[in-house]
Amino acid sequence: MNLQEKFAYMATGKPYNDLDPVLISARDQATAKTNAINATNDPAERARLFTELVGSTGADPVVNPNFRCEFGTNIHVGRDFYANYDVVMLDGGEITIGDRVLFGPKVGIYTSNHLFDPTERQLGGCIAKPIMIGSQCWLAANVSVMPGVTIGENTIIGANSVVTHDIPANVIAAGNPCQVLRPITVADKTGFVGQDFS
């Protein structure tokens, strides 16, 4: 199978061979591209390189070093995406991120999982499930999002959370495993909008 056929097969949710030479080569290419992203001090150049690496992106992505991904082409981000330092995305499955999403430092997005049986795992057995993150979400520092999760729009995931199941829109959630703490309401407005800070 070529890489596109391999990705199409992986998207079915069936186990696949993570040690396939086609995937190893694709990972090596992504590593070279992320090395280039992480080597430059020019934010505009990082944005350009990131746009070339991922499957699709909206306008004005900001990606701080160190950024790492498995393949890149299975990542789709909306406009005004911001990734703080040390973000990792394992994109064996599709990662879809909406508009105006903020990632704190050390966020990890993991679509892939090794198989549980030790013999299958040692032979390279993996499975991938897509991850979807809605628009205007904020994932705080050290958040890990596990395979198959959907996070609804406008949601905040608190620092150090491990997201193992779907989280609805318009809530604050945190913990390990991540749980909804409360909805975001009008009481969360501080009056910041409309203030003159000059």
Side-chain angles (χ1 to χ4, degrees), residues 31-52:
T31 298
K33 291 176 183 176
T34 59
N35 285 344
I37 289 169
N38 296 325
T40 182
N41 290 323
D42 181 354
E45 179 66 1
R46 277 197 304 267
R48 184 188 70 75
L49 291 167
F50 178 75
T51 300
E52 289 177 4

Side-chain angles (χ1 to χ4, degrees), residues 31-87:
T31 298
K33 291 176 183 176
T34 59
N35 285 344
I37 289 169
N38 296 325
T40 182
N41 290 323
D42 181 354
E45 179 66 1
R46 277 197 304 267
R48 184 188 70 75
L49 291 167
F50 178 75
T51 300
E52 289 177 4
L53 171 65
V54 300
S56 64
T57 183
D60 302 320
V62 175
V63 178
N64 290 297
N66 283 315
F67 171 79
R68 294 290 174 197
C69 66
E70 189 173 16
F71 303 108
T73 55
N74 290 328
I75 300 169
H76 306 279
V77 300
R79 64 185 167 87
D80 301 319
F81 173 67
Y82 181 87
N84 211 318
Y85 301 99
D86 299 326
V87 166

Side-chain angles (χ1 to χ4, degrees), residues 109-178:
I109 308 297
Y110 307 111
T111 66
S112 306
N113 198 8
H114 296 285
L115 298 180
F116 295 159
D117 177 80
T119 302
E120 292 180 338
R121 185 170 58 248
Q122 293 304 312
L123 292 173
C126 278
I127 192 163
K129 296 180 181 176
I131 291 174
M132 297 184 68
I133 299 170
S135 292
Q136 298 189 161
C137 287
W138 171 26
L139 280 60
N142 297 308
V143 167
S144 295
V145 180
M146 305 314 285
V149 165
T150 295
I151 298 172
E153 65 182 21
N154 304 317
T155 286
I156 298 169
I157 306 293
N160 300 309
S161 296
V162 178
V163 186
T164 59
H165 60 274
D166 292 353
I167 302 293
N170 302 302
V171 299
I172 298 172
N176 181 4
C178 190

Side-chain angles (χ1 to χ4, degrees), residues 9-33:
Y9 177 81
M10 292 162 64
T12 67
K14 296 176 184 172
Y16 63 90
N17 181 1
D18 197 45
L19 301 177
D20 185 313
V22 170
L23 295 181
I24 291 171
S25 175
R27 277 191 209 94
D28 290 344
Q29 291 173 33
T31 298
K33 291 176 183 176

